[in-house]
Amino acid sequence: MKGNYKGAPARSLLAMALAGGLALGAAPAMAQSTGATIRGQVMADSAPAANAQVIVVNPATGLRRTVQASEDGRYAVAGLPPGTYRIEVQSGGQTTTRELTVQVGQTATLDLGVGGVAETATTGEATTLDAVQVVGAAVETRTSEVATYISNKQIEALPQNSRNFLAFADTVPGVQFITDASGNTRLRSGAQSANAVNVFIDGVGQKNYVTTGGISGQDTSRGNPFPQSAIGEYKVITQNYKAEYDQLSSAAVVAATRSGSNEFQGSFFWDYTMTDWRAATDFEKRPGATKAESKQEQYGVSFGGPIVQDRAHFFLAYEAKEFSTPKTFRIGGGYDVGDLPPELQAQFGSGTYTSPFKEDLYFGKIDWLVGENHYFELTGKYRDESETIQVGDERLPPAGTYNTNDETRVDLRYQLTAGDWLNDAHITYEDAFWSPEPANFIPGYYLVTGNGGTSRDGTLIVRSGGGDNYQDKGQKGWSIQDDLTFTGISGHTIKMGVKYKRVDLETLEQNRYNPQFFYDVNESLTVPVRVQFGAPVAGFGDGTASSDNSQFGIYIQDDWEVNDHLTLNLGVRWDVESTPAYEDYVTPAEVVTALQNSNTNLPNSGVDINDYISTGGNRDPDRNNWAPRFGFSYDLNADQRHVIFGGAGRSYDRNLFDYLQNEISKASWGQYVYDFNTALHPCDTATSAPCREWDPRYLDPDYLRSTSVSGAGREVFLMDNNLVVPYSDQFGLGMRNAFEVLGHDWQTEVMYSYVRSHDGIAFLLGNRRPDGLFFPPTPPDATDPPPWGQGFAPFSNLILGQNALETKTNSVYLKLEKPYTRASGWAATFAYTYTDSEQNSPIDGFPGAFNAERIEDYGWFPGKVPKNRVVASGIWDGPWDLTFSGKGVWSDATPRYYQNCNVSAWAYCYFDSYTPDDDFKQVDVAVEKVFDTGSNVALRLRFDVLNIFDWTNYSGYEDWRGGAGEPQNPLWGTPNAIALPTRTFKLSIGIDW
């Protein structure tokens, strides 16, 4: 059946083109994505050292691996945790020792020699290793992956506003770490939303299956997904990732956590900034405005060491954040504070409010090495955060929302090595929930200025009372995954993996749980003109939905060194997910009847209602998710200094349960509107279904909900019976170069990238006019807007969910990097991204586009990505144990979408876009002093200055251009929200032992 879906040809084209070229051999596959690999060739007396023994040892932990080289002297040691390793080669009675540092998920090529044979490696120190021992930091060049490594030195040294380890990912071309006006953070790559990102910590994906944000805990949160002190290092892969990476269609972040070592070590930190240490925002500089009280305090401790020397270790970390962020109030409709009732004046106060946030993060890890071949890890993370959100502008504190984020993750890992085989197995458990609820469970109060008649919503002056956001959404369950690496075929590292996950997805969505009453300031402050409220639908539930999802995925990957020049990365993966809540859903009989009798069922409506009527047996999981991935790298001189690379691949993400559950939650929790018959807003209770005479009993939420229990008049959401999984096709070609300037090694990378994403979910209006059309065949007039409320009795609106969203992105990446080495004492990075992107809808946030019949009718809009973006950073170990660092970001403004109703008639409203004139600019600097106490204890004192030039960066604009027949809004396009920080001084104190 899915072959008839309009997206099917595009989905199969790349698969057929690439699958034919995958020469995968006949063997299993990969160690987990965080494990590093050291590979190369052993030479003795200018000839391959057949059957040489290579021993790799981490002196800090005692981890030891032994392999035997093949007949042609080739060897590979896979699955190594990031760190510095002593490499001992034994051949013909001779022994040579080397030392090399490898990074997370890296493949380092190190050719070794015994008997005076010269050796080569890609290192941060040198490219010819003739000394008896050399310490080098490996740099991966012979790979098709477009990856950038974020070292522990960068994490510790570079300035930052919040201890979110993902903040450093924006030093990578094509990646943005975005902080909005409320302090919420998210990571995105290219033109796709944050939902397309996945983060793998110690090889385990952190995907959010229910709500937006890409990873769990990043939906509307100022919090950090993981304690920064527990992150050792990570890499960001923006393209050409290998087959082991799943559930993403843009960037993959691969992080490795810190472990204990054979020495007891600990660290404590405390960061602080406050009101007097930051510059006022532009809004706080306005006449009569005051500077809101603000505070950012972060503190934590980490500690690790041996349980049994060289065998077992532990590591613990705790971090906390306590933020108080300023919010500014304003009065709408041209009114002043003195025009408000006394109670609202008191709530308005000085015009500012401090929004609190608190987070606690815990992490623990135990590792245990049994002999040389058995390695165990047990890790656990707990996150607990709370904050008050949705306060500011016309919304006063009582109407705010209390938001909590709770997350628990546990992972048991077992690695088994046996000769050329490495098996890496995980058993994991997760429990993560995002739960906003009204700060006060009382009726909401909207004070508006209406113009009489139907303008009951009017212009908002101020809002108070109880809020209307009541949700509880999350996931909990377990998974098992197993990854296998085989290196027994010369020149091949063959990897294979399988994952099964059983996770319960749960949502509670009771919008307008607190009824919201509208009062016209021109009429009465005690008798409302309208109420909006939610109520459970008798016999259908209470707005909750749940689904016992199962996920299954397999992959195979061959990293094939064809010769000294050419390396091929060939892989394919297949994934499937079953969502019983969607697949087994049965469309209620009364909805089916209404559909069959509706205008939408007319032949010329453009909608086949049978595509949306579910019988409980006509929906299946999308099983057509074959994702081939092909990459190559060609080393021009076989010295890893000039490498051409490229690749093509497909990557599947997943459909968020928050979208799929709408037809269940909306069917069991209706949203209703009553208009009250008043002098300035008359209505006829006999002819108008929502019209009511005012009764004070309506102020009782229970009584109000009891008056509408049938579900009539509510909106109905229906999903397409043939939904498929969103995916992206990615193509890229580039070149890497390593060169030396004044004795320092530099790496450069330039690349062209094209990404096309397909099949994102969008919701459209399914209502049709009496003639079956969305718009009349002739140009509409003021009486012909989109058919809201038409032709779907006894319900109000029909909302249809389908695969429709697409993006296309052309990018050029330029990267220049001088990695940090202890010998040089400095590092520098430069990343430039040029992006030309488009998306086929003006959707921003919830994917609903309701004033056009089809997504195609909107045309293409500029992608929400800056055209040009530059990020530069630097670190320098100065005199007197001082470390200086800095980071600068410069980018064009991001395009914005808005609904343009500044036309002759409301029916002519259309979506448009514009790009503000205000570019983004921010430079942060930091200096740290380490005091040597003469003992094992060191003191650290650090000063950060964020946004040192106090450039103003806006995060919000007035997008209302004006109503039909009205003059253009003079404030249109003017800023109304600021992205913090302004110039801010931050003090940090630390103790290391």
Side-chain angles (χ1 to χ4, degrees):
M1 297 297 293
K2 293 195 177 154
N4 296 323
Y5 186 78
K6 65 181 181 181
R11 293 165 61 86
S12 60
L13 180 61
L14 181 69
M16 291 187 295
L18 294 184
L22 298 182
L24 294 175
M30 154 94 187
Q32 236 330 307
S33 52
T34 55
T37 298
I38 301 175
R39 67 185 180 188
Q41 188 175 32
V42 181
M43 302 292 290
D45 298 324
S46 302
N51 302 318
Q53 189 175 59
V54 180
I55 304 170
V56 177
V57 179
N58 186 330
T61 63
L63 181 69
R64 179 186 178 96
R65 297 279 168 77
T66 301
V67 297
Q68 185 169 305
S70 62
E71 291 294 328
D72 60 0
R74 295 187 180 273
Y75 75 96
V77 185
L80 298 172
T84 299
Y85 288 86
R86 186 178 68 249
I87 304 166
E88 184 177 295
V89 184
Q90 299 176 357
S91 177
Q94 299 183 72
T95 299
T96 302
T97 301
R98 299 292 179 261
E99 196 168 287
L100 187 69
T101 298
V102 292
Q103 297 173 293
V104 56
Q106 184 180 45
T107 298
T109 300
L110 177 64
D111 293 337
L112 301 165
V114 291
V117 177
E119 306 160 344
T120 62
T122 303
T123 76
E125 302 287 342
T127 55
T128 301
L129 312 183
D130 294 318
V132 175
Q133 187 178 45
V134 65
V135 177
V139 177
E140 188 173 9
T141 57
R142 292 185 60 174
T143 178
S144 60
E145 278 188 344
V146 183
T148 299
Y149 293 89
I150 309 298
S151 68
N152 188 258
K153 181 68 175 181
Q154 291 172 290
I155 294 174
E156 291 183 346
L158 289 179
Q160 58 173 319
N161 187 31
S162 172
R163 291 179 61 87
N164 188 330
F165 80 94
L166 295 176
F168 305 103
D170 70 352
T171 61
V172 177
V175 177
Q176 295 181 76
F177 181 79
I178 300 171
T179 304
D180 65 20
S182 299
N184 302 319
T185 60
R186 63 187 185 277
L187 192 70
R188 68 178 296 175
S189 177
Q192 299 180 71
S193 73
N195 303 342
V197 171
N198 201 353
V199 174
F200 301 86
I201 297 180
D202 289 339
V204 178
Q206 312 290 301
K207 193 71 174 181
N208 190 336
Y209 301 130
V210 178
T211 61
T212 60
I215 61 174
S216 59
Q218 289 303 103
D219 185 342
T220 318
S221 171
R222 290 185 270 175
N224 298 342
F226 209 83
Q228 182 172 290
S229 58
I231 296 293
E233 57 186 63
Y234 66 97
K235 72 174 178 177
V236 182
I237 312 171
T238 53
Q239 202 157 323
N240 296 350
Y241 27 76
K242 299 176 185 178
E244 62 261 36
Y245 300 106
D246 64 339
Q247 297 182 341
L248 78 164
S249 56
S250 62
V253 176
V254 183
T257 59
R258 293 176 59 190
S259 300
S261 68
N262 285 330
E263 296 182 2
F264 288 103
Q265 295 178 324
S267 181
F268 166 82
F269 76 90
W270 176 76
D271 293 350
Y272 186 76
T273 186
M274 62 176 182
T275 311
D276 295 337
W277 294 0
R278 70 170 179 86
T281 68
D282 283 4
F283 301 126
E284 292 172 330
K285 296 175 184 177
R286 292 175 177 175
T290 59
K291 192 176 180 182
E293 293 295 321
S294 63
K295 181 191 75 169
Q296 291 190 12
E297 185 175 10
Q298 302 172 96
Y299 50 90
V301 63
S302 59
F303 181 63
I307 299 174
V308 178
Q309 196 81 3
D310 284 335
R311 287 292 176 261
H313 313 85
F314 74 93
F315 179 81
L316 302 171
Y318 165 75
E319 291 192 9
K321 296 175 67 171
E322 296 184 30
F323 284 10
S324 298
T325 305
K327 301 292 181 180
T328 304
F329 298 129
R330 63 182 178 183
I331 304 298
Y335 285 78
D336 295 323
V337 179
D339 299 321
L340 302 179
E343 180 182 357
L344 296 183
Q345 291 186 37
Q347 295 175 14
F348 188 89
S350 63
T352 59
Y353 171 76
T354 299
S355 175
F357 171 85
K358 177 67 165 71
E359 179 184 52
D360 294 293
L361 280 168
Y362 303 84
F363 173 76
K365 181 176 186 179
I366 295 175
D367 64 78
W368 181 25
L369 180 65
V370 181
E372 184 174 324
N373 298 326
H374 306 275
Y375 178 75
F376 296 87
E377 276 185 0
L378 177 64
T379 61
K381 182 192 82 169
Y382 176 69
R383 174 183 183 182
D384 179 17
E385 72 179 40
S386 60
E387 62 178 324
T388 300
I389 61 175
Q390 296 181 328
V391 175
D393 295 326
E394 295 91 355
R395 189 163 178 164
L396 299 179
T401 298
Y402 182 72
N403 190 31
T404 60
N405 249 324
D406 299 302
E407 182 177 9
T408 300
R409 288 182 179 268
V410 180
D411 175 42
L412 176 61
R413 179 181 193 176
Y414 168 52
Q415 275 192 352
L416 170 65
T417 56
D420 297 323
W421 299 88
L422 168 67
N423 193 76
D424 194 351
H426 291 261
I427 298 176
T428 66
Y429 172 79
E430 63 186 87
D431 185 337
F433 277 79
W434 173 76
S435 308
E437 64 178 36
N440 295 283
F441 284 90
I442 57 177
Y445 186 100
Y446 280 74
L447 185 60
V448 301
T449 173
N451 298 318
T454 60
S455 299
R456 297 172 184 270
D457 293 348
T459 300
L460 178 61
I461 300 172
V462 73
R463 178 180 177 185
S464 186
D468 57 357
N469 188 4
Y470 191 18
Q471 303 181 60
D472 185 21
K473 299 179 177 180
Q475 60 200 55
K476 58 182 177 181
W478 59 273
S479 71
I480 181 169
Q481 63 186 69
D482 191 75
D483 300 273
L484 190 65
T485 300
F486 178 63
T487 57
I489 301 177
S490 180
H492 293 265
T493 300
I494 303 174
K495 316 160 189 177
M496 176 169 54
V498 59
K499 181 177 78 172
Y500 176 77
K501 191 165 192 174
R502 185 64 180 266
V503 57
D504 298 331
L505 311 181
E506 300 178 10
T507 66
L508 177 149
E509 187 172 312
Q510 296 180 342
N511 291 322
R512 297 175 184 166
Y513 182 88
N514 286 328
Q516 305 297 305
F517 290 90
F518 291 74
Y519 298 82
D520 188 345
V521 69
N522 298 312
E523 185 167 18
S524 173
L525 300 180
T526 57
V527 176
V529 297
R530 170 171 288 180
V531 63
Q532 299 174 345
F533 68 99
V537 179
F540 285 93
D542 59 355
T544 60
S546 61
S547 187
D548 298 330
N549 278 33
S550 58
Q551 302 170 0
F552 179 78
I554 56 175
Y555 73 87
I556 187 168
Q557 175 84 31
D558 183 10
D559 296 335
W560 177 18
E561 291 187 272
V562 180
N563 51 47
D564 290 342
H565 297 273
L566 179 64
T567 300
L568 298 179
N569 305 117
L570 309 169
V572 65
R573 71 170 299 117
W574 178 77
D575 294 278
V576 64
E577 179 175 13
S578 177
T579 306
Y582 162 76
E583 295 151 19
D584 300 339
Y585 179 72
V586 177
T587 308
E590 57 268 39
V591 173
V592 175
T593 300
L595 269 175
Q596 293 170 339
N597 297 328
S598 71
N599 301 334
T600 310
N601 197 30
L602 294 177
N604 60 345
S605 71
V607 177
D608 185 349
I609 63 171
N610 294 312
D611 289 342
Y612 299 90
I613 296 175
S614 179
T615 64
N618 59 342
R619 294 178 174 179
D620 296 309
D622 180 11
R623 296 186 174 89
N624 188 29
N625 297 334
W626 290 98
R629 299 175 188 177
F630 164 79
F632 78 93
S633 61
Y634 188 83
D635 188 346
L636 294 179
N637 300 318
D639 60 0
Q640 303 181 61
R641 300 190 70 82
H642 305 285
V643 178
I644 298 173
F645 67 93
R650 172 166 291 179
S651 187
Y652 285 90
D653 200 344
R654 59 181 310 282
N655 285 315
L656 290 180
F657 186 62
D658 204 20
Y659 299 160
L660 300 181
Q661 60 89 32
N662 273 290
E663 61 183 351
I664 300 174
S665 62
K666 298 298 191 293
S668 60
W669 183 269
Q671 296 186 54
Y672 309 95
V673 176
Y674 289 169
D675 293 333
F676 297 116
N677 182 26
T678 67
L680 293 182
H681 302 273
C683 62
D684 188 349
T685 58
T687 59
S688 176
C691 185
R692 300 287 191 278
E693 295 293 344
W694 169 245
D695 185 337
R697 289 184 297 174
Y698 286 134
L699 291 173
D700 180 354
D702 291 335
Y703 175 78
L704 182 64
R705 282 193 282 267
S706 71
T707 63
S708 182
V709 296
S710 67
R714 63 179 173 86
E715 289 185 334
V716 172
F717 280 63
L718 296 178
M719 305 302 297
D720 193 316
N721 293 329
N722 292 308
L723 286 179
V724 294
V725 176
Y727 69 97
S728 69
D729 287 333
Q730 305 176 357
F731 307 86
L733 181 66
M735 185 172 185
R736 298 186 184 97
N737 295 280
F739 60 94
E740 184 177 309
V741 176
L742 300 177
H744 298 292
D745 286 329
W746 290 78
Q747 283 83 43
T748 66
E749 183 173 293
V750 61
M751 177 191 175
Y752 166 75
S753 163
Y754 176 73
V755 179
R756 181 70 182 263
S757 69
H758 303 265
D759 289 337
I761 285 183
F763 292 93
L764 293 95
L765 182 62
N767 295 1
R768 294 297 184 266
R769 294 163 44 82
D771 57 4
L773 300 178
F774 192 88
F775 284 123
T778 58
D781 56 31
T783 62
D784 292 316
W788 289 101
Q790 295 190 41
F792 193 47
F795 305 102
S796 64
N797 294 304
L798 174 64
I799 309 298
L800 303 177
Q802 58 186 245
N803 296 113
L805 301 185
E806 297 185 6
T807 67
K808 49 187 178 182
T809 307
N810 290 278
S811 299
V812 175
Y813 299 155
L814 175 62
K815 182 172 68 175
L816 177 66
E817 181 177 15
K818 189 276 172 189
Y820 176 87
T821 63
R822 188 173 300 174
S824 68
W826 65 280
T829 68
F830 175 87
Y832 167 73
T833 307
Y834 170 81
T835 306
D836 181 15
S837 65
E838 294 181 288
Q839 61 186 60
N840 69 336
S841 77
I843 292 174
D844 188 20
F846 178 77
F850 301 122
N851 67 340
E853 181 178 354
R854 304 169 304 164
I855 285 291
E856 295 89 332
D857 297 335
Y858 286 103
W860 288 87
F861 289 77
K864 298 204 72 175
V865 185
K867 184 79 70 176
N868 296 279
R869 193 165 191 270
V870 174
V871 181
S873 71
I875 301 171
W876 176 49
D877 292 342
W880 309 301
D881 291 327
L882 291 170
T883 298
F884 300 89
S885 63
K887 177 184 172 186
V889 181
W890 299 265
S891 76
D892 294 336
T894 300
R896 296 183 63 83
Y897 308 142
Y898 70 101
Q899 190 170 11
N900 191 344
C901 291
N902 196 212
V903 289
S904 59
W906 288 100
Y908 292 107
C909 291
Y910 64 97
F911 278 97
D912 204 347
S913 66
Y914 71 97
T915 301
D917 295 329
D918 310 293
D919 295 342
F920 184 95
K921 303 184 295 294
Q922 182 172 327
V923 174
D924 305 330
V925 296
V927 59
E928 181 178 72
K929 166 68 176 175
V930 177
F931 297 90
D932 186 356
T933 65
S935 64
N936 291 329
V937 178
L939 303 179
R940 289 181 286 111
L941 182 64
R942 173 169 166 158
F943 303 98
D944 290 57
V945 183
L946 309 172
N947 196 1
I948 189 171
F949 299 111
D950 200 25
W951 284 317
T952 297
N953 296 303
Y954 297 109
S955 62
Y957 292 80
E958 176 59 63
D959 291 331
W960 176 246
R961 196 163 184 169
E966 300 175 355
Q968 178 173 299
N969 178 8
L971 297 179
W972 176 75
T974 60
N976 59 20
I978 287 179
L980 297 175
T982 56
R983 182 191 292 119
T984 301
F985 171 80
K986 184 160 69 83
L987 169 67
S988 302
I989 299 173
I991 303 174
D992 299 322
W993 66 90

